Structure formats: structure tokens, C-alpha cells
Amino acid sequence: MRSLLRWTSLVVAAAVLYPLGARGFHHRQFDLFLGIVLGLAALIVVVFLTTSTPDAER
């Protein structure tokens, strides 16, 4: 289940960013696009941290 959540977070990020990038959104609204990228990155980090196991810290 842990691996599924991690992969799902990465797929969702790609599913959000690819269409925006394909439409050139990052050229017209760079600040908003950067905010979306940083927000998704933070969300992925949270998912990875919350799904980590104690023995994986080594």
C-alpha cells in the first residue's frame, strides 16, 4: 500500500504538470506555475515522509 501511495503521488503530479506545460502555461503565468510545482513537490515529500518506515531511516 505504501508503494502505491508513493507512485500515485508521482503520477498525479505528472498528470497535473504535463498538460500545463504542453499548453505553455509556464510562459504566460510563471509565478502561478512555480507555485503549483512547489506545492506538488511539498505534497510528494509529505507523502513520502508519512509512508516511511522506521527501519528505512538507515
Side-chain angles (χ1 to χ4, degrees):
M1 183 67 167
R2 176 178 61 236
S3 179
L4 178 64
L5 286 172
R6 289 178 173 191
W7 278 107
T8 302
S9 68
L10 294 173
V11 169
V12 167
V16 169
L17 294 176
Y18 181 79
L20 291 175
R23 291 186 195 136
F25 188 75
H26 56 292
H27 291 291
R28 294 187 304 273
Q29 297 289 331
F30 181 74
D31 292 337
L32 180 58
F33 186 77
L34 184 60
I36 293 169
V37 169
L38 293 175
L40 286 171
L43 181 65
I44 290 170
V45 168
V46 167
V47 168
F48 272 67
L49 289 175
T50 57
T51 60
S52 67
T53 57
D55 60 336
E57 293 177 5
R58 289 196 261 144

